[in-house]
Amino acid sequence: FMHQAERYSHLCMQRGQRDPDRYYQAAFYLLSTSQPVYNRAERFVDREGISFTAIKNNMKGMTMREKQIIRISENLFKGGGACMVTPADLAYLGQPLLDDVVNAIYIAAGQATVQVSELGNGTLDLEIDMSKYHRFHRECIAMEHFAASVMASAQEDGLEVG
């Protein structure tokens, strides 16, 4: 049995990337969320990439949630396109899978990154660095406040706004 940080790191090593791009990070993050998903996916990751076709051809016996994680992983990796997983499916994923999917969305969007570090006892720890998201969020709020103040000032000056 491996922890997510170990599974994620192993997928990165199979790809030959210590610091993969956001699409690989999102895919590897989801493909490492559980041992069963990882077991199905890891043999189809190599230096050439991720063979989602091969992974999907080997989903027999997997739970619906595990299949959905693989489909979402592929969709984020490819940057969009048709996906069989619906918003209702996402709602019923439950915790912690829904949180994992949301994290992967932020990762694929470039708003978060996966950070793996080694703890003092030799085990690996995986964290999601949300600093880019928080910075972007603060900037959006500042822009909203600025726009509101410009609108209020224009209205005070008798200009029609709308």
Side-chain angles (χ1 to χ4, degrees):
F1 176 80
M2 297 167 69
H3 295 284
Q4 185 177 12
E6 296 167 311
R7 293 187 295 261
Y8 177 88
S9 293
H10 188 256
L11 292 173
C12 290
M13 286 190 301
Q14 283 184 225
R15 175 75 176 113
Q17 295 179 310
R18 289 187 56 84
D19 189 26
D21 68 29
R22 62 188 174 146
Y23 302 106
Y24 275 100
Q25 280 190 28
F28 289 164
Y29 178 75
L30 283 179
L31 295 175
S32 67
T33 55
S34 73
Q35 194 69 45
V37 169
Y38 170 81
N39 289 345
R40 295 295 175 109
E42 64 97 15
R43 64 185 166 175
F44 301 111
V45 174
D46 59 25
R47 292 194 180 278
E48 300 296 316
I50 304 170
S51 176
F52 280 102
T53 301
I55 295 169
K56 290 188 301 187
N57 286 339
N58 285 281
M59 292 197 304
K60 185 176 181 180
M62 297 184 81
T63 68
M64 183 57 69
R65 287 181 175 152
E66 291 165 349
K67 291 175 184 179
Q68 289 169 339
I69 291 298
I70 289 171
R71 290 183 181 116
I72 294 166
S73 176
E74 178 183 31
N75 184 264
L76 293 174
F77 178 74
K78 292 182 176 180
C83 185
M84 293 176 58
V85 182
T86 68
D89 294 330
L90 291 175
Y92 297 118
L93 276 177
Q95 299 301 331
L97 285 178
L98 182 57
D99 285 342
D100 291 334
V101 169
V102 171
N103 285 338
I105 290 169
Y106 284 131
I107 293 164
Q111 297 295 312
T113 57
V114 178
Q115 302 292 317
V116 176
S117 57
E118 191 171 328
L119 301 176
N121 59 5
T123 60
L124 298 177
D125 182 49
L126 184 144
E127 291 183 7
I128 304 300
D129 177 0
M130 298 290 288
S131 59
K132 289 181 185 179
Y133 167 79
H134 293 299
R135 184 173 50 251
F136 179 73
H137 185 70
R138 283 190 305 272
E139 291 169 0
C140 287
I141 290 172
M143 289 299 291
E144 286 178 5
H145 289 178
F146 175 74
S149 70
V150 168
M151 298 281 279
S153 178
Q155 287 176 337
E156 286 174 9
D157 292 342
L159 299 174
E160 189 174 317
V161 179

